[in-house]
Amino acid sequence: MAALGLLSACVSTGQIPLDENGQPLPQVYQIKPGMEGEITYRLLDSVNSLRRAQGAQPLAFNAALNAAAATHSRDMAVQNRPWHFGSDGSSPLLRVQRVGYTGRLLGELISETYETELVTLAAWMRQDDTRAVLLDPAAREMGFAWFQEPSGKIWWTLVTGG
């Protein structure tokens, strides 16, 4: 619910098309140059707010985990499918080892969508298994990245480690 509350701060004041039930119609979220830091830290702050609410320690970004997430986001776009295996057969564990991560991999979350990072986070929080990765008390570090296709489709990857 906290993530959904954070989403409301991101809504434009312009007219948003609604469906027959009064719900907003999906729109393509275009990530413009220069938005990278804003998106990255908005997601980290949101994850840490959710973790604090559960009594878990906050996560810090790790450059190696960010690199592993970026590699996998682009690779999922190349494969045109959201899954945890790379086009070379690599697993999440192998990808974090390749970038020199020396901690313990705890989880990897992925998504294929046209929606924002906060809508994606809210979707991860609605599922028991992905919520457990985000709130894992053993997690201390996080990597987060995305790849956006010209069509607007976004491939999100979040990796946690401890």
Side-chain angles (χ1 to χ4, degrees):
M1 293 311 283
L4 295 176
L6 291 171
L7 287 174
S8 65
C10 299
V11 175
S12 167
T13 58
Q15 199 68 338
I16 298 174
L18 303 177
D19 67 15
E20 65 277 359
N21 297 316
Q23 298 299 311
L25 290 171
Q27 296 182 15
V28 174
Y29 178 48
Q30 285 295 339
I31 299 173
K32 296 177 179 25
M35 291 177 64
E36 294 84 3
E38 177 185 334
I39 291 168
T40 300
Y41 285 100
R42 184 169 44 231
L43 189 281
L44 179 65
D45 289 345
S46 298
V47 167
N48 284 335
S49 292
L50 293 166
R51 290 176 61 81
R52 268 191 300 278
Q54 295 297 312
Q57 290 187 3
L59 300 180
F61 277 127
N62 176 282
L65 291 179
N66 285 339
T71 298
H72 192 55
S73 289
R74 181 176 277 283
D75 192 45
M76 285 189 297
V78 168
Q79 297 180 74
N80 196 33
R81 65 176 165 180
W83 74 326
H84 294 283
F85 294 96
S87 56
D88 61 356
S90 61
S91 67
L93 179 59
L94 182 55
R95 285 192 296 277
V96 299
Q97 289 172 343
R98 284 179 179 166
V99 296
Y101 184 64
T102 57
R104 185 170 57 111
L105 172 71
L106 295 174
E108 179 183 72
L109 303 180
I110 58 173
S111 181
E112 168 195 18
T113 185
Y114 291 88
E115 299 175 318
T116 72
E117 69 283 357
L118 295 181
V119 172
T120 301
L121 176 60
W124 286 334
M125 285 298 291
R126 284 192 297 272
Q127 301 295 320
D128 291 341
D129 56 344
T130 54
R131 182 176 52 251
V133 170
L134 290 165
L135 302 179
D136 184 347
R140 298 290 179 264
E141 299 174 304
M142 180 177 96
F144 175 66
W146 64 89
F147 179 78
Q148 186 166 35
E149 297 178 2
S151 69
K153 185 189 293 185
I154 308 168
W155 301 87
W156 301 103
T157 305
L158 185 148
V159 184
T160 59

